[in-house]
PDB file of all heavy atoms in Angstrom:
ATOM      1  N   LEU A1699      55.702  67.220 -61.393  1.00  0.00           N
ATOM      2  CA  LEU A1699      54.409  67.830 -61.721  1.00  0.00           C
ATOM      3  C   LEU A1699      54.523  68.788 -62.913  1.00  0.00           C
ATOM      4  O   LEU A1699      53.690  68.780 -63.809  1.00  0.00           O
ATOM      5  CB  LEU A1699      53.838  68.551 -60.506  1.00  0.00           C
ATOM      6  CG  LEU A1699      52.348  68.839 -60.617  1.00  0.00           C
ATOM      7  CD1 LEU A1699      51.535  67.551 -60.527  1.00  0.00           C
ATOM      8  CD2 LEU A1699      51.900  69.819 -59.549  1.00  0.00           C
ATOM      9  N   ALA A1700      55.565  69.604 -62.917  1.00  0.00           N
ATOM     10  CA  ALA A1700      55.708  70.590 -63.991  1.00  0.00           C
ATOM     11  C   ALA A1700      56.005  69.898 -65.329  1.00  0.00           C
ATOM     12  O   ALA A1700      55.322  70.127 -66.335  1.00  0.00           O
ATOM     13  CB  ALA A1700      56.826  71.574 -63.644  1.00  0.00           C
ATOM     14  N   ASN A1701      57.008  69.034 -65.343  1.00  0.00           N
ATOM     15  CA  ASN A1701      57.420  68.412 -66.607  1.00  0.00           C
ATOM     16  C   ASN A1701      56.381  67.421 -67.128  1.00  0.00           C
ATOM     17  O   ASN A1701      56.156  67.311 -68.339  1.00  0.00           O
ATOM     18  CB  ASN A1701      58.751  67.666 -66.429  1.00  0.00           C
ATOM     19  CG  ASN A1701      59.895  68.612 -66.143  1.00  0.00           C
ATOM     20  OD1 ASN A1701      59.739  69.828 -66.198  1.00  0.00           O
ATOM     21  ND2 ASN A1701      61.054  68.068 -65.813  1.00  0.00           N
ATOM     22  N   ASN A1702      55.764  66.698 -66.210  1.00  0.00           N
ATOM     23  CA  ASN A1702      54.789  65.692 -66.629  1.00  0.00           C
ATOM     24  C   ASN A1702      53.538  66.370 -67.186  1.00  0.00           C
ATOM     25  O   ASN A1702      53.006  65.970 -68.216  1.00  0.00           O
ATOM     26  CB  ASN A1702      54.435  64.808 -65.421  1.00  0.00           C
ATOM     27  CG  ASN A1702      53.905  63.455 -65.832  1.00  0.00           C
ATOM     28  OD1 ASN A1702      54.250  62.912 -66.888  1.00  0.00           O
ATOM     29  ND2 ASN A1702      53.045  62.893 -65.014  1.00  0.00           N
ATOM     30  N   THR A1703      53.098  67.431 -66.516  1.00  0.00           N
ATOM     31  CA  THR A1703      51.915  68.155 -66.993  1.00  0.00           C
ATOM     32  C   THR A1703      52.189  68.748 -68.372  1.00  0.00           C
ATOM     33  O   THR A1703      51.397  68.597 -69.302  1.00  0.00           O
ATOM     34  CB  THR A1703      51.553  69.298 -66.011  1.00  0.00           C
ATOM     35  OG1 THR A1703      51.321  68.718 -64.729  1.00  0.00           O
ATOM     36  CG2 THR A1703      50.333  70.046 -66.462  1.00  0.00           C
ATOM     37  N   LEU A1704      53.348  69.394 -68.498  1.00  0.00           N
ATOM     38  CA  LEU A1704      53.676  70.006 -69.792  1.00  0.00           C
ATOM     39  C   LEU A1704      53.741  68.931 -70.876  1.00  0.00           C
ATOM     40  O   LEU A1704      53.215  69.102 -71.976  1.00  0.00           O
ATOM     41  CB  LEU A1704      55.011  70.748 -69.708  1.00  0.00           C
ATOM     42  CG  LEU A1704      55.319  71.565 -70.965  1.00  0.00           C
ATOM     43  CD1 LEU A1704      54.719  72.972 -70.828  1.00  0.00           C
ATOM     44  CD2 LEU A1704      56.812  71.698 -71.204  1.00  0.00           C
ATOM     45  N   GLY A1705      54.402  67.803 -70.547  1.00  0.00           N
ATOM     46  CA  GLY A1705      54.582  66.724 -71.532  1.00  0.00           C
ATOM     47  C   GLY A1705      53.245  66.161 -71.991  1.00  0.00           C
ATOM     48  O   GLY A1705      53.012  65.982 -73.190  1.00  0.00           O
ATOM     49  N   TRP A1706      52.350  65.918 -71.053  1.00  0.00           N
ATOM     50  CA  TRP A1706      51.056  65.333 -71.419  1.00  0.00           C
ATOM     51  C   TRP A1706      50.198  66.322 -72.177  1.00  0.00           C
ATOM     52  O   TRP A1706      49.544  65.965 -73.165  1.00  0.00           O
ATOM     53  CB  TRP A1706      50.336  64.787 -70.179  1.00  0.00           C
ATOM     54  CG  TRP A1706      50.822  63.398 -69.910  1.00  0.00           C
ATOM     55  CD1 TRP A1706      51.781  63.027 -69.010  1.00  0.00           C
ATOM     56  CD2 TRP A1706      50.439  62.205 -70.616  1.00  0.00           C
ATOM     57  NE1 TRP A1706      52.001  61.668 -69.107  1.00  0.00           N
ATOM     58  CE2 TRP A1706      51.194  61.144 -70.081  1.00  0.00           C
ATOM     59  CE3 TRP A1706      49.540  61.933 -71.646  1.00  0.00           C
ATOM     60  CZ2 TRP A1706      51.070  59.836 -70.545  1.00  0.00           C
ATOM     61  CZ3 TRP A1706      49.415  60.630 -72.104  1.00  0.00           C
ATOM     62  CH2 TRP A1706      50.172  59.594 -71.560  1.00  0.00           C
ATOM     63  N   GLN A1707      50.190  67.567 -71.736  1.00  0.00           N
ATOM     64  CA  GLN A1707      49.370  68.552 -72.458  1.00  0.00           C
ATOM     65  C   GLN A1707      49.972  68.837 -73.829  1.00  0.00           C
ATOM     66  O   GLN A1707      49.256  69.117 -74.786  1.00  0.00           O
ATOM     67  CB  GLN A1707      49.234  69.836 -71.632  1.00  0.00           C
ATOM     68  CG  GLN A1707      48.412  69.630 -70.373  1.00  0.00           C
ATOM     69  CD  GLN A1707      47.433  70.768 -70.119  1.00  0.00           C
ATOM     70  OE1 GLN A1707      47.052  71.504 -71.030  1.00  0.00           O
ATOM     71  NE2 GLN A1707      47.015  70.914 -68.883  1.00  0.00           N
ATOM     72  N   TRP A1708      51.281  68.749 -73.921  1.00  0.00           N
ATOM     73  CA  TRP A1708      51.948  68.928 -75.224  1.00  0.00           C
ATOM     74  C   TRP A1708      51.482  67.820 -76.169  1.00  0.00           C
ATOM     75  O   TRP A1708      51.064  68.074 -77.299  1.00  0.00           O
ATOM     76  CB  TRP A1708      53.470  68.865 -75.033  1.00  0.00           C
ATOM     77  CG  TRP A1708      54.238  69.081 -76.302  1.00  0.00           C
ATOM     78  CD1 TRP A1708      54.705  70.262 -76.790  1.00  0.00           C
ATOM     79  CD2 TRP A1708      54.623  68.085 -77.257  1.00  0.00           C
ATOM     80  NE1 TRP A1708      55.341  70.067 -77.995  1.00  0.00           N
ATOM     81  CE2 TRP A1708      55.301  68.731 -78.303  1.00  0.00           C
ATOM     82  CE3 TRP A1708      54.439  66.702 -77.347  1.00  0.00           C
ATOM     83  CZ2 TRP A1708      55.819  68.053 -79.415  1.00  0.00           C
ATOM     84  CZ3 TRP A1708      54.945  66.027 -78.452  1.00  0.00           C
ATOM     85  CH2 TRP A1708      55.619  66.695 -79.463  1.00  0.00           C
ATOM     86  N   ALA A1709      51.545  66.582 -75.676  1.00  0.00           N
ATOM     87  CA  ALA A1709      51.215  65.438 -76.533  1.00  0.00           C
ATOM     88  C   ALA A1709      49.735  65.434 -76.906  1.00  0.00           C
ATOM     89  O   ALA A1709      49.371  65.070 -78.036  1.00  0.00           O
ATOM     90  CB  ALA A1709      51.578  64.141 -75.814  1.00  0.00           C
ATOM     91  N   ALA A1710      48.881  65.855 -75.972  1.00  0.00           N
ATOM     92  CA  ALA A1710      47.438  65.843 -76.246  1.00  0.00           C
ATOM     93  C   ALA A1710      47.025  67.037 -77.105  1.00  0.00           C
ATOM     94  O   ALA A1710      45.903  67.089 -77.598  1.00  0.00           O
ATOM     95  CB  ALA A1710      46.665  65.856 -74.932  1.00  0.00           C
ATOM     96  N   GLY A1711      47.923  67.992 -77.271  1.00  0.00           N
ATOM     97  CA  GLY A1711      47.634  69.137 -78.139  1.00  0.00           C
ATOM     98  C   GLY A1711      46.905  70.268 -77.433  1.00  0.00           C
ATOM     99  O   GLY A1711      46.425  71.197 -78.073  1.00  0.00           O
ATOM    100  N   CYS A1712      46.832  70.232 -76.098  1.00  0.00           N
ATOM    101  CA  CYS A1712      46.013  71.232 -75.405  1.00  0.00           C
ATOM    102  C   CYS A1712      46.827  72.128 -74.475  1.00  0.00           C
ATOM    103  O   CYS A1712      46.265  72.873 -73.680  1.00  0.00           O
ATOM    104  CB  CYS A1712      44.912  70.536 -74.609  1.00  0.00           C
ATOM    105  SG  CYS A1712      45.530  69.378 -73.380  1.00  0.00           S
ATOM    106  N   GLY A1713      48.170  72.038 -74.527  1.00  0.00           N
ATOM    107  CA  GLY A1713      48.983  72.762 -73.547  1.00  0.00           C
ATOM    108  C   GLY A1713      49.763  73.915 -74.136  1.00  0.00           C
ATOM    109  O   GLY A1713      49.483  74.391 -75.250  1.00  0.00           O
ATOM    110  N   ALA A1714      50.778  74.358 -73.372  1.00  0.00           N
ATOM    111  CA  ALA A1714      51.627  75.462 -73.809  1.00  0.00           C
ATOM    112  C   ALA A1714      52.562  74.957 -74.907  1.00  0.00           C
ATOM    113  O   ALA A1714      53.192  73.908 -74.747  1.00  0.00           O
ATOM    114  CB  ALA A1714      52.439  75.979 -72.631  1.00  0.00           C
ATOM    115  N   ASP A1715      52.618  75.700 -76.000  1.00  0.00           N
ATOM    116  CA  ASP A1715      53.500  75.350 -77.122  1.00  0.00           C
ATOM    117  C   ASP A1715      53.307  73.893 -77.545  1.00  0.00           C
ATOM    118  O   ASP A1715      54.256  73.185 -77.874  1.00  0.00           O
ATOM    119  CB  ASP A1715      54.969  75.560 -76.733  1.00  0.00           C
ATOM    120  CG  ASP A1715      55.799  75.942 -77.959  1.00  0.00           C
ATOM    121  OD1 ASP A1715      55.241  75.917 -79.079  1.00  0.00           O
ATOM    122  OD2 ASP A1715      56.985  76.248 -77.797  1.00  0.00           O
ATOM    123  N   ALA A1716      52.032  73.443 -77.496  1.00  0.00           N
ATOM    124  CA  ALA A1716      51.756  72.017 -77.725  1.00  0.00           C
ATOM    125  C   ALA A1716      51.909  71.633 -79.189  1.00  0.00           C
ATOM    126  O   ALA A1716      51.818  72.467 -80.091  1.00  0.00           O
ATOM    127  CB  ALA A1716      50.346  71.709 -77.262  1.00  0.00           C
ATOM    128  N   ALA A1717      52.126  70.346 -79.405  1.00  0.00           N
ATOM    129  CA  ALA A1717      52.082  69.813 -80.761  1.00  0.00           C
ATOM    130  C   ALA A1717      50.654  70.024 -81.247  1.00  0.00           C
ATOM    131  O   ALA A1717      49.713  69.741 -80.516  1.00  0.00           O
ATOM    132  CB  ALA A1717      52.382  68.327 -80.725  1.00  0.00           C
ATOM    133  N   PRO A1718      50.458  70.522 -82.477  1.00  0.00           N
ATOM    134  CA  PRO A1718      49.085  70.707 -82.946  1.00  0.00           C
ATOM    135  C   PRO A1718      48.342  69.372 -82.889  1.00  0.00           C
ATOM    136  O   PRO A1718      48.953  68.319 -83.091  1.00  0.00           O
ATOM    137  CB  PRO A1718      49.255  71.158 -84.395  1.00  0.00           C
ATOM    138  CG  PRO A1718      50.705  71.373 -84.613  1.00  0.00           C
ATOM    139  CD  PRO A1718      51.467  70.821 -83.470  1.00  0.00           C
TER     140      PRO A1718
END
Side-chain angles (χ1 to χ4, degrees):
L1699 198 70
N1701 293 353
N1702 203 29
T1703 302
L1704 188 88
W1706 275 98
Q1707 292 223 22
W1708 182 92
C1712 59
D1715 210 354

